[in-house]
């Protein structure tokens, strides 16, 4: 299944969920107008919301890509301790130390 199809599953699932929510709100309004007591949602609205939820979950899980293992050891087995703790983005060599420690003129 192509990535575009999976994205369409997410979009259609969200549309179905939105429609189920709108239908539930309309059903509650109908019950208020007819002065009936609310017991539960009709079966068609319930099934529509479950189908929309499952379709959205399927699309989101497949669009997200491959999952990584939770165990951190699998990522760090091939690395040494020096490469794991190395953070080059925190190293700054353009700072005021060269002016503080330079010889006075």
């Amino acid at each position: 299944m192509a990535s575009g199809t999976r994205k369409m599953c997410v979009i259609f699932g969200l549309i179905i969920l939105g429609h189920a929510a709108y239908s539930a709100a309309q059903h509650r309004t109908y019950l208020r107008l007819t002065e009936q007591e609310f017991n539960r949602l009709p079966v068609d609205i319930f099934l529509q919301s479950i189908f929309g939820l499952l379709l959205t979950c399927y699309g989101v899980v497949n669009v997200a890509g491959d999952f990584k293992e939770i165990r951190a050891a699998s990522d760090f087995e091939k690395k040494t301790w020096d490469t794991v703790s190395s953070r080059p983005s925190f190293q700054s060599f353009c700072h005021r130390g060269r002016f503080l420690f330079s010889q006075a003129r």
Side-chain angles (χ1 to χ4, degrees):
M1 201 183 253
S3 177
T5 307
R6 294 174 181 150
K7 289 180 184 177
M8 291 303 289
C9 284
V10 173
I11 292 170
F12 284 136
L14 291 175
I15 289 172
I16 290 171
L17 281 175
H19 185 266
Y22 183 75
S23 297
Q26 288 293 327
H27 179 69
R28 290 293 301 256
T29 304
Y30 169 75
L31 290 178
R32 284 189 197 132
L33 290 174
T34 58
E35 297 177 356
Q36 295 178 8
E37 190 174 315
F38 178 77
N39 293 329
R40 62 182 181 150
L41 284 175
V43 176
D44 61 334
I45 297 174
F46 179 74
L47 292 177
Q48 183 179 12
S49 61
I50 295 297
F51 179 71
L53 177 70
L54 292 176
L55 188 64
T56 303
C57 288
Y58 172 77
V60 166
V61 167
N62 288 318
V63 166
D66 296 333
F67 292 114
K68 291 185 177 181
E69 291 186 28
I70 294 176
R71 293 180 294 137
S74 64
D75 291 336
F76 297 122
E77 284 177 349
K78 300 171 189 165
K79 296 181 180 180
T80 64
W81 181 253
D82 294 330
T83 59
V84 170
S85 65
S86 174
R87 294 183 182 93
S89 61
F90 286 115
Q91 296 174 356
S92 175
F93 298 106
C94 184
H95 52 77
R96 63 180 174 233
R98 62 181 171 194
F99 296 113
L100 290 174
F101 299 110
S102 66
Q103 294 178 349
R105 295 182 209 188

